[in-house]
Amino acid sequence: MGLMNYNIAIIYTSVTGNTKDLAEHLCSCFEENGQFPILYDISKFPFSEIERFHVVIIATYTWGNGDIPASMQPLYDAFEQQNTKSIITGVAGTGDSFYPSFCGAVDAFRDMLYVKSTLAATLKIELAPQESDIPRCRLFAKSILKRLEKELFQKQLES
Ligand SMILES: Cc1cc2nc3c(=O)[nH]c(=O)nc-3n(C[C@H](O)[C@H](O)[C@H](O)COP(=O)(O)O)c2cc1C
């Protein structure tokens, strides 16, 4: 039995294109598994509807000194303030290992999502995703979908 179609959002922010590239790669990896996420630039995401998504994937670059970009702060706040514990989440980022806090925004989201959502996977990519990163992107998508199946099975047992 395959998975049904679930509401999956991939939300990204990107200045020079690396993270947009990553978000698109991740989208393809879900499609390989028969799922069709909606890709949102953060400026277009409907925050008030966050609870209707089964899965939310966050794709972010890192700014300043390991910081979350300002454009991503409303999403961080939405998870902190809304009823999101049952949403399966994943956080992926691009960064530059030249900086002391490589992909620090991924770590910051991870720590919050671990508490406020059902965090299933994280991924850090050096600058633009390369051919050699594709297996890691695939594994990321598979981990998310496995966790989704597990949570749904658990819910069935409880009902
Ligand atoms: C001012 C500035 C600060 C940055 N700080 C960090 C950082 O602390 N850690 C990190 O891993 N990358 C850092 N980066 C690198 C970016 O996160 C990286 O280039 C990223 O891939 C850009 O994503 P984008 O192409 O989607 O805009 C910084 C870049 C700039 C320009």
Side-chain angles (χ1 to χ4, degrees), residues 13-20 61-66 94-96 99 101-103 127:
T13 187
S14 187
V15 175
T16 62
N18 295 341
T19 315
K20 184 171 190 232
Y61 63 92
T62 293
W63 196 242
N65 181 23
T94 69
D96 184 341
Y99 290 90
S101 177
F102 176 56
C103 291
L127 298 170

PDB file of all heavy atoms in Angstrom, residues 13-20 61-66 94-96 99 101-103 127, ligand 1:
ATOM      1  N   THR A  13      13.763  30.400   1.629  1.00  0.00           N
ATOM      2  CA  THR A  13      14.198  31.785   1.460  1.00  0.00           C
ATOM      3  C   THR A  13      15.574  31.726   0.823  1.00  0.00           C
ATOM      4  O   THR A  13      16.372  30.839   1.153  1.00  0.00           O
ATOM      5  CB  THR A  13      14.227  32.540   2.801  1.00  0.00           C
ATOM      6  OG1 THR A  13      14.507  33.914   2.543  1.00  0.00           O
ATOM      7  CG2 THR A  13      15.262  31.993   3.766  1.00  0.00           C
ATOM      8  N   SER A  14      15.841  32.634  -0.107  1.00  0.00           N
ATOM      9  CA  SER A  14      17.082  32.539  -0.871  1.00  0.00           C
ATOM     10  C   SER A  14      17.434  33.894  -1.452  1.00  0.00           C
ATOM     11  O   SER A  14      16.566  34.570  -1.996  1.00  0.00           O
ATOM     12  CB  SER A  14      16.891  31.510  -1.985  1.00  0.00           C
ATOM     13  OG  SER A  14      18.092  31.245  -2.654  1.00  0.00           O
ATOM     14  N   VAL A  15      18.691  34.305  -1.321  1.00  0.00           N
ATOM     15  CA  VAL A  15      19.117  35.578  -1.917  1.00  0.00           C
ATOM     16  C   VAL A  15      19.854  35.310  -3.225  1.00  0.00           C
ATOM     17  O   VAL A  15      19.512  35.848  -4.268  1.00  0.00           O
ATOM     18  CB  VAL A  15      20.008  36.396  -0.950  1.00  0.00           C
ATOM     19  CG1 VAL A  15      20.529  37.656  -1.639  1.00  0.00           C
ATOM     20  CG2 VAL A  15      19.238  36.765   0.298  1.00  0.00           C
ATOM     21  N   THR A  16      20.845  34.434  -3.186  1.00  0.00           N
ATOM     22  CA  THR A  16      21.664  34.211  -4.391  1.00  0.00           C
ATOM     23  C   THR A  16      21.308  32.913  -5.117  1.00  0.00           C
ATOM     24  O   THR A  16      21.977  32.537  -6.073  1.00  0.00           O
ATOM     25  CB  THR A  16      23.170  34.249  -4.068  1.00  0.00           C
ATOM     26  OG1 THR A  16      23.487  33.187  -3.158  1.00  0.00           O
ATOM     27  CG2 THR A  16      23.580  35.568  -3.443  1.00  0.00           C
ATOM     28  N   GLY A  17      20.266  32.206  -4.657  1.00  0.00           N
ATOM     29  CA  GLY A  17      19.755  31.068  -5.422  1.00  0.00           C
ATOM     30  C   GLY A  17      20.116  29.690  -4.899  1.00  0.00           C
ATOM     31  O   GLY A  17      19.493  28.701  -5.294  1.00  0.00           O
ATOM     32  N   ASN A  18      21.119  29.579  -4.022  1.00  0.00           N
ATOM     33  CA  ASN A  18      21.534  28.251  -3.550  1.00  0.00           C
ATOM     34  C   ASN A  18      20.394  27.510  -2.843  1.00  0.00           C
ATOM     35  O   ASN A  18      20.158  26.326  -3.086  1.00  0.00           O
ATOM     36  CB  ASN A  18      22.713  28.359  -2.559  1.00  0.00           C
ATOM     37  CG  ASN A  18      23.971  28.903  -3.211  1.00  0.00           C
ATOM     38  OD1 ASN A  18      24.103  28.876  -4.430  1.00  0.00           O
ATOM     39  ND2 ASN A  18      24.886  29.402  -2.400  1.00  0.00           N
ATOM     40  N   THR A  19      19.710  28.211  -1.971  1.00  0.00           N
ATOM     41  CA  THR A  19      18.678  27.553  -1.163  1.00  0.00           C
ATOM     42  C   THR A  19      17.427  27.267  -1.998  1.00  0.00           C
ATOM     43  O   THR A  19      16.748  26.256  -1.778  1.00  0.00           O
ATOM     44  CB  THR A  19      18.337  28.401   0.080  1.00  0.00           C
ATOM     45  OG1 THR A  19      19.559  28.857   0.658  1.00  0.00           O
ATOM     46  CG2 THR A  19      17.585  27.591   1.107  1.00  0.00           C
ATOM     47  N   LYS A  20      17.167  28.124  -2.966  1.00  0.00           N
ATOM     48  CA  LYS A  20      16.053  27.858  -3.893  1.00  0.00           C
ATOM     49  C   LYS A  20      16.343  26.568  -4.659  1.00  0.00           C
ATOM     50  O   LYS A  20      15.471  25.699  -4.817  1.00  0.00           O
ATOM     51  CB  LYS A  20      15.872  29.037  -4.848  1.00  0.00           C
ATOM     52  CG  LYS A  20      14.677  28.877  -5.771  1.00  0.00           C
ATOM     53  CD  LYS A  20      14.377  30.145  -6.559  1.00  0.00           C
ATOM     54  CE  LYS A  20      13.038  30.006  -7.261  1.00  0.00           C
ATOM     55  NZ  LYS A  20      13.145  30.301  -8.693  1.00  0.00           N
ATOM     56  N   TYR A  61      18.989  29.704   4.202  1.00  0.00           N
ATOM     57  CA  TYR A  61      20.428  29.981   4.266  1.00  0.00           C
ATOM     58  C   TYR A  61      20.740  30.498   5.665  1.00  0.00           C
ATOM     59  O   TYR A  61      19.836  30.555   6.519  1.00  0.00           O
ATOM     60  CB  TYR A  61      20.866  30.974   3.164  1.00  0.00           C
ATOM     61  CG  TYR A  61      20.243  32.340   3.254  1.00  0.00           C
ATOM     62  CD1 TYR A  61      20.863  33.371   3.958  1.00  0.00           C
ATOM     63  CD2 TYR A  61      19.024  32.615   2.636  1.00  0.00           C
ATOM     64  CE1 TYR A  61      20.294  34.635   4.039  1.00  0.00           C
ATOM     65  CE2 TYR A  61      18.454  33.877   2.711  1.00  0.00           C
ATOM     66  CZ  TYR A  61      19.095  34.883   3.415  1.00  0.00           C
ATOM     67  OH  TYR A  61      18.531  36.132   3.501  1.00  0.00           O
ATOM     68  N   THR A  62      21.982  30.816   5.920  1.00  0.00           N
ATOM     69  CA  THR A  62      22.380  31.359   7.230  1.00  0.00           C
ATOM     70  C   THR A  62      22.999  32.731   7.012  1.00  0.00           C
ATOM     71  O   THR A  62      23.712  32.955   6.024  1.00  0.00           O
ATOM     72  CB  THR A  62      23.376  30.415   7.925  1.00  0.00           C
ATOM     73  OG1 THR A  62      22.701  29.210   8.260  1.00  0.00           O
ATOM     74  CG2 THR A  62      23.941  31.033   9.202  1.00  0.00           C
ATOM     75  N   TRP A  63      22.718  33.624   7.911  1.00  0.00           N
ATOM     76  CA  TRP A  63      23.102  35.018   7.782  1.00  0.00           C
ATOM     77  C   TRP A  63      23.883  35.468   9.007  1.00  0.00           C
ATOM     78  O   TRP A  63      23.842  34.793  10.043  1.00  0.00           O
ATOM     79  CB  TRP A  63      21.821  35.851   7.626  1.00  0.00           C
ATOM     80  CG  TRP A  63      22.050  37.230   7.120  1.00  0.00           C
ATOM     81  CD1 TRP A  63      21.762  38.403   7.773  1.00  0.00           C
ATOM     82  CD2 TRP A  63      22.597  37.598   5.859  1.00  0.00           C
ATOM     83  NE1 TRP A  63      22.096  39.463   6.991  1.00  0.00           N
ATOM     84  CE2 TRP A  63      22.626  39.001   5.812  1.00  0.00           C
ATOM     85  CE3 TRP A  63      23.101  36.869   4.766  1.00  0.00           C
ATOM     86  CZ2 TRP A  63      23.117  39.717   4.713  1.00  0.00           C
ATOM     87  CZ3 TRP A  63      23.588  37.576   3.673  1.00  0.00           C
ATOM     88  CH2 TRP A  63      23.598  38.981   3.655  1.00  0.00           C
ATOM     89  N   GLY A  64      24.566  36.620   8.888  1.00  0.00           N
ATOM     90  CA  GLY A  64      25.262  37.216  10.035  1.00  0.00           C
ATOM     91  C   GLY A  64      26.246  36.241  10.639  1.00  0.00           C
ATOM     92  O   GLY A  64      27.105  35.704   9.943  1.00  0.00           O
ATOM     93  N   ASN A  65      26.076  35.967  11.923  1.00  0.00           N
ATOM     94  CA  ASN A  65      26.972  35.037  12.601  1.00  0.00           C
ATOM     95  C   ASN A  65      26.165  33.808  13.022  1.00  0.00           C
ATOM     96  O   ASN A  65      25.844  33.623  14.189  1.00  0.00           O
ATOM     97  CB  ASN A  65      27.616  35.746  13.796  1.00  0.00           C
ATOM     98  CG  ASN A  65      28.570  34.846  14.541  1.00  0.00           C
ATOM     99  OD1 ASN A  65      29.083  33.868  13.988  1.00  0.00           O
ATOM    100  ND2 ASN A  65      28.805  35.156  15.808  1.00  0.00           N
ATOM    101  N   GLY A  66      25.815  32.980  12.042  1.00  0.00           N
ATOM    102  CA  GLY A  66      25.024  31.781  12.330  1.00  0.00           C
ATOM    103  C   GLY A  66      23.546  32.066  12.559  1.00  0.00           C
ATOM    104  O   GLY A  66      22.859  31.293  13.214  1.00  0.00           O
ATOM    105  N   THR A  94      21.506  25.746   3.214  1.00  0.00           N
ATOM    106  CA  THR A  94      22.809  25.902   2.584  1.00  0.00           C
ATOM    107  C   THR A  94      23.593  26.891   3.426  1.00  0.00           C
ATOM    108  O   THR A  94      23.025  27.776   4.066  1.00  0.00           O
ATOM    109  CB  THR A  94      22.700  26.434   1.141  1.00  0.00           C
ATOM    110  OG1 THR A  94      22.252  27.796   1.159  1.00  0.00           O
ATOM    111  CG2 THR A  94      21.747  25.581   0.301  1.00  0.00           C
ATOM    112  N   GLY A  95      24.905  26.717   3.424  1.00  0.00           N
ATOM    113  CA  GLY A  95      25.775  27.617   4.175  1.00  0.00           C
ATOM    114  C   GLY A  95      27.170  27.543   3.594  1.00  0.00           C
ATOM    115  O   GLY A  95      27.403  26.858   2.597  1.00  0.00           O
ATOM    116  N   ASP A  96      28.058  28.269   4.251  1.00  0.00           N
ATOM    117  CA  ASP A  96      29.445  28.343   3.804  1.00  0.00           C
ATOM    118  C   ASP A  96      30.304  27.951   4.993  1.00  0.00           C
ATOM    119  O   ASP A  96      30.293  28.625   6.029  1.00  0.00           O
ATOM    120  CB  ASP A  96      29.718  29.786   3.365  1.00  0.00           C
ATOM    121  CG  ASP A  96      31.105  29.967   2.785  1.00  0.00           C
ATOM    122  OD1 ASP A  96      31.980  29.095   3.039  1.00  0.00           O
ATOM    123  OD2 ASP A  96      31.316  30.979   2.096  1.00  0.00           O
ATOM    124  N   TYR A  99      32.479  30.066   7.487  1.00  0.00           N
ATOM    125  CA  TYR A  99      31.983  30.735   8.701  1.00  0.00           C
ATOM    126  C   TYR A  99      32.042  29.791   9.898  1.00  0.00           C
ATOM    127  O   TYR A  99      31.852  28.577   9.747  1.00  0.00           O
ATOM    128  CB  TYR A  99      30.536  31.197   8.506  1.00  0.00           C
ATOM    129  CG  TYR A  99      30.400  32.345   7.538  1.00  0.00           C
ATOM    130  CD1 TYR A  99      30.215  32.100   6.186  1.00  0.00           C
ATOM    131  CD2 TYR A  99      30.465  33.665   7.967  1.00  0.00           C
ATOM    132  CE1 TYR A  99      30.091  33.151   5.278  1.00  0.00           C
ATOM    133  CE2 TYR A  99      30.346  34.718   7.071  1.00  0.00           C
ATOM    134  CZ  TYR A  99      30.167  34.456   5.739  1.00  0.00           C
ATOM    135  OH  TYR A  99      30.055  35.497   4.842  1.00  0.00           O
ATOM    136  N   SER A 101      29.970  29.260  12.327  1.00  0.00           N
ATOM    137  CA  SER A 101      28.724  28.548  12.604  1.00  0.00           C
ATOM    138  C   SER A 101      28.102  28.094  11.285  1.00  0.00           C
ATOM    139  O   SER A 101      27.206  28.748  10.741  1.00  0.00           O
ATOM    140  CB  SER A 101      27.773  29.453  13.385  1.00  0.00           C
ATOM    141  OG  SER A 101      26.545  28.797  13.583  1.00  0.00           O
ATOM    142  N   PHE A 102      28.598  26.950  10.773  1.00  0.00           N
ATOM    143  CA  PHE A 102      28.142  26.447   9.476  1.00  0.00           C
ATOM    144  C   PHE A 102      26.649  26.091   9.541  1.00  0.00           C
ATOM    145  O   PHE A 102      26.241  25.285  10.391  1.00  0.00           O
ATOM    146  CB  PHE A 102      28.974  25.228   9.073  1.00  0.00           C
ATOM    147  CG  PHE A 102      28.518  24.566   7.797  1.00  0.00           C
ATOM    148  CD1 PHE A 102      28.425  25.287   6.613  1.00  0.00           C
ATOM    149  CD2 PHE A 102      28.186  23.220   7.774  1.00  0.00           C
ATOM    150  CE1 PHE A 102      28.017  24.690   5.432  1.00  0.00           C
ATOM    151  CE2 PHE A 102      27.775  22.598   6.597  1.00  0.00           C
ATOM    152  CZ  PHE A 102      27.688  23.341   5.427  1.00  0.00           C
ATOM    153  N   CYS A 103      25.852  26.708   8.679  1.00  0.00           N
ATOM    154  CA  CYS A 103      24.403  26.464   8.657  1.00  0.00           C
ATOM    155  C   CYS A 103      23.776  26.641  10.050  1.00  0.00           C
ATOM    156  O   CYS A 103      22.933  25.851  10.458  1.00  0.00           O
ATOM    157  CB  CYS A 103      24.093  25.070   8.102  1.00  0.00           C
ATOM    158  SG  CYS A 103      24.432  24.872   6.349  1.00  0.00           S
ATOM    159  N   LEU A 127      27.034  25.544   0.178  1.00  0.00           N
ATOM    160  CA  LEU A 127      26.679  26.445  -0.926  1.00  0.00           C
ATOM    161  C   LEU A 127      25.643  25.837  -1.879  1.00  0.00           C
ATOM    162  O   LEU A 127      24.595  25.426  -1.423  1.00  0.00           O
ATOM    163  CB  LEU A 127      27.948  26.912  -1.644  1.00  0.00           C
ATOM    164  CG  LEU A 127      28.888  27.714  -0.715  1.00  0.00           C
ATOM    165  CD1 LEU A 127      30.241  27.960  -1.372  1.00  0.00           C
ATOM    166  CD2 LEU A 127      28.245  29.018  -0.283  1.00  0.00           C
TER     167      LEU A 127
HETATM  168  C1  LIG B   1      26.965  38.392   5.326  1.00  0.00           C
HETATM  169  C2  LIG B   1      26.899  36.888   5.203  1.00  0.00           C
HETATM  170  C3  LIG B   1      26.934  36.129   6.358  1.00  0.00           C
HETATM  171  C4  LIG B   1      26.905  34.717   6.299  1.00  0.00           C
HETATM  172  N1  LIG B   1      26.975  33.976   7.455  1.00  0.00           N
HETATM  173  C5  LIG B   1      27.008  32.633   7.377  1.00  0.00           C
HETATM  174  C6  LIG B   1      27.123  31.835   8.559  1.00  0.00           C
HETATM  175  O1  LIG B   1      27.218  32.327   9.683  1.00  0.00           O
HETATM  176  N2  LIG B   1      27.143  30.486   8.416  1.00  0.00           N
HETATM  177  C7  LIG B   1      27.061  29.867   7.197  1.00  0.00           C
HETATM  178  O2  LIG B   1      27.088  28.644   7.141  1.00  0.00           O
HETATM  179  N3  LIG B   1      26.943  30.596   6.056  1.00  0.00           N
HETATM  180  C8  LIG B   1      26.922  31.950   6.111  1.00  0.00           C
HETATM  181  N4  LIG B   1      26.814  32.693   4.960  1.00  0.00           N
HETATM  182  C9  LIG B   1      26.771  31.979   3.653  1.00  0.00           C
HETATM  183  C10 LIG B   1      25.378  31.796   3.091  1.00  0.00           C
HETATM  184  O3  LIG B   1      24.505  31.185   4.020  1.00  0.00           O
HETATM  185  C11 LIG B   1      25.482  30.903   1.845  1.00  0.00           C
HETATM  186  O4  LIG B   1      26.193  31.575   0.845  1.00  0.00           O
HETATM  187  C12 LIG B   1      24.129  30.460   1.321  1.00  0.00           C
HETATM  188  O5  LIG B   1      24.295  29.372   0.422  1.00  0.00           O
HETATM  189  C13 LIG B   1      23.381  31.568   0.608  1.00  0.00           C
HETATM  190  O6  LIG B   1      22.112  31.064   0.223  1.00  0.00           O
HETATM  191  P1  LIG B   1      21.267  31.643  -0.992  1.00  0.00           P
HETATM  192  O7  LIG B   1      22.101  31.459  -2.276  1.00  0.00           O
HETATM  193  O8  LIG B   1      20.044  30.811  -1.027  1.00  0.00           O
HETATM  194  O9  LIG B   1      20.996  33.094  -0.731  1.00  0.00           O
HETATM  195  C14 LIG B   1      26.840  34.076   5.023  1.00  0.00           C
HETATM  196  C15 LIG B   1      26.788  34.878   3.861  1.00  0.00           C
HETATM  197  C16 LIG B   1      26.819  36.251   3.938  1.00  0.00           C
HETATM  198  C17 LIG B   1      26.792  37.057   2.672  1.00  0.00           C
END
